[in-house]
Every structure is written in structure tokens, then in C-alpha cells.
């Protein structure tokens, strides 16, 4: 995930300090060719009142039942998403990775020994229902989109962090969510159904004409 790392970004990326989810030396040592680099909007209990270590501990000892954070408004989400997209673009400028917009780009990266980065977004909170911001993110390199990150948004309903639980809860995609599927199909943005509830999953499967 492309969390902001002001000031220390390049050092964390190139220095194997272990301060990020990934860094270049460890990726090279492990033979990592590329992956999905996720824009993610943190919120609520998952970014404050419950720290990540506590969250991991809870989720590694089922059963667990953690409440979902509330919806995030577009006004809050967009600056974070654009900052994180800019973070990936800045890493590309180092010449150590490339943002891949096609299969040809992926193959070229692998042949050249550069890290292949697919720009992904976990949850569509930053996208407006007229899809103008989606055009901007697409131009920046977005090629993969998760409709929800568990919490509800303008497009669909997610599933709670609960074990064991049935994902067949809540309504399907909203009208805007159904249009998002159609728009992503036209733009060739891959849809990721992680965190989406069962009704939303069925809606995507019935609407899409692209692989999911």
C-alpha cells in the first residue's frame, strides 16, 4: 500500500531500512518482478484507535468481530488518493520501477530487470459518480480498482472483519456502482472484488464483459 512517507520516501525505498511494506533491496533479493501497488484511504479504527499490531493480533486469533469504519467522503478521500498516486509516480522517476499500463509494459519491465508496478486502488471513495477523477487516475496509470474496502461507499457495500461470517449481507451495487463497472470495462480497468459483499459480487459478475 502506498501510505505517505514524507521526507523519508526515497531512503525507505532504496535503503532496505524495513520501514515500509516493500523496499527495493529486499524486492531484488527476493526475485520480486512486480505487483499491485495499492492506493488506500485509511480511516477510523484501522488508522488510530486500533493500531496495526493490535489489529493483526485480533485477526490471527479467530473468532473475531471488528466493527467497520464509517463511510469516507470524497472530499476527504481525493487528496489522499492523489498524494499516494503521486508517491508512486515519484518512485517511477527514480528509474527503479515503472508504472505498467499494459501487458507489453509488464513484459518490458521484466526483460529490463525493473520492478513492474500496477497502480491499484482499494476502495473507490476518491472517485466521483461522474467519473472525472477516474479519468485523472487512469491517466496517472490506474489499471486495477477494488470497488470497496469493506466499508460502504457510493458504489457498493463491503463485508465486516468478522470470522466466521457470511458475506451475503446488505444490498448489491448502487446505480453508480453498476455504472462504475461499465465505465471500467470500457476503460479496461480491472475490477477487484476483494471486500465486496455477495450481492455486489453477483452484480459485477452479471454486468461485466471483462475478466474479474
Amino acid at each position: 500500500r502506498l501510505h505517505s512517507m514524507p521526507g523519508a520516501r526515497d531512503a525507505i525505498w532504496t535503503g532496505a531500512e524495513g520501514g515500509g511494506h516493500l523496499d527495493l533491496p529486499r524486492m531484488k533479493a527476493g526475485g520480486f518482478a512486480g505487483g499491485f501497488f495499492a492506493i488506500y484511504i485509511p480511516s477510523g479504527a484501522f488508522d488510530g484507535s486500533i493500531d496495526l499490531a493490535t489489529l493483526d493480533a485480533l485477526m490471527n486469533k479467530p473468532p473475531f468481530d471488528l466493527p467497520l469504519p464509517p463511510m469516507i467522503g470524497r472530499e476527504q478521500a481525493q487528496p489522499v488518493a492523489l498524494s499516494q498516486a503521486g508517491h508512486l509516480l515519484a518512485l517511477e522517476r527514480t528509474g527503479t520501477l515503472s508504472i505498467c499500463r499494459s501487458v507489453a509494459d509488464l513484459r518490458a519491465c521484466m526483460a529490463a530487470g525493473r520492478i513492474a508496478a500496477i497502480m491499484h486502488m482499494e476502495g473507490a471513495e476518491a472517485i466521483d459518480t461522474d467519473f472525472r477523477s477516474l479519468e485523472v487516475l487512469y491517466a496517472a496509470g490506474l489499471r486495477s480498482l477494488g470497488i470497496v474496502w469493506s466499508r460502504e461507499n457510493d458504489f457498493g457495500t463491503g463485508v465486516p472483519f468478522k470470522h466466521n461470517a457470511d458475506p451475503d449481507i446488505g444490498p448489491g451495487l448502487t446505480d453508480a456502482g453498476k455504472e462504475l463497472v461499465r465505465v471500467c470495462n470500457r476503460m479496461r480497468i480491472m475490477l477487484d472484488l476483494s471486500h465486496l459483499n455477495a450481492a455486489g459480487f453477483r452484480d459485477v459478475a452479471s454486468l461485466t464483459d471483462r475478466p474479474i
Side-chain angles (χ1 to χ4, degrees):
R1 287 175 176 167
L2 294 165
H3 293 299
S4 298
M5 296 182 287
R9 177 186 63 215
D10 292 343
I12 290 174
W13 173 243
T14 60
E17 297 176 358
H21 292 174
L22 295 170
D23 59 60
L24 184 63
R26 285 185 293 166
M27 292 162 80
K28 290 287 189 181
F32 185 91
F36 292 82
F37 285 60
I39 294 168
Y40 164 71
I41 316 299
S43 73
F46 295 90
D47 190 46
S49 59
I50 297 180
D51 62 81
L52 291 178
T54 303
L55 178 61
D56 286 344
L58 288 170
M59 294 183 70
N60 282 322
K61 293 183 178 179
F64 54 82
D65 185 0
L66 304 175
L68 286 177
M71 288 181 66
I72 292 180
R74 193 176 309 120
E75 298 79 7
Q76 178 186 352
Q78 275 189 355
V80 178
L82 292 174
S83 174
Q84 291 183 15
H87 175 69
L88 185 58
L89 287 163
L91 289 179
E92 183 179 47
R93 194 179 297 278
T94 67
T96 55
L97 64 73
S98 291
I99 300 172
C100 295
R101 295 166 171 82
S102 67
V103 172
D105 287 350
L106 286 167
R107 290 174 175 156
C109 271
M110 294 176 74
R114 287 192 310 278
I115 301 299
I118 302 168
M119 188 186 292
H120 171 71
M121 178 178 283
E122 289 189 60
E125 283 87 355
I127 296 171
D128 60 274
T129 53
D130 290 327
F131 307 110
R132 302 301 184 216
S133 52
L134 185 60
E135 294 283 357
V136 174
L137 289 163
Y138 180 86
L142 186 74
R143 293 297 184 272
S144 177
L145 173 67
I147 297 174
V148 298
W149 177 82
S150 285
R151 62 194 168 219
E152 180 185 1
N153 63 28
D154 289 338
F155 304 101
T157 301
V159 291
F161 288 86
K162 182 177 181 180
H163 183 286
N164 289 318
D166 187 341
D168 201 359
I169 58 169
L173 299 182
T174 65
D175 289 343
K178 293 174 182 177
E179 186 60 20
L180 177 63
V181 173
R182 299 183 186 102
V183 170
C184 286
N185 279 184
R186 290 197 297 269
M187 297 175 74
R188 294 179 178 266
I189 297 172
M190 186 168 64
L191 290 168
D192 171 20
L193 305 189
S194 302
H195 300 278
L196 188 62
N197 69 348
F201 183 104
R202 290 191 290 266
D203 282 342
V204 175
S206 68
L207 289 166
T208 189
D209 56 13
R210 304 284 183 188
I212 51 177

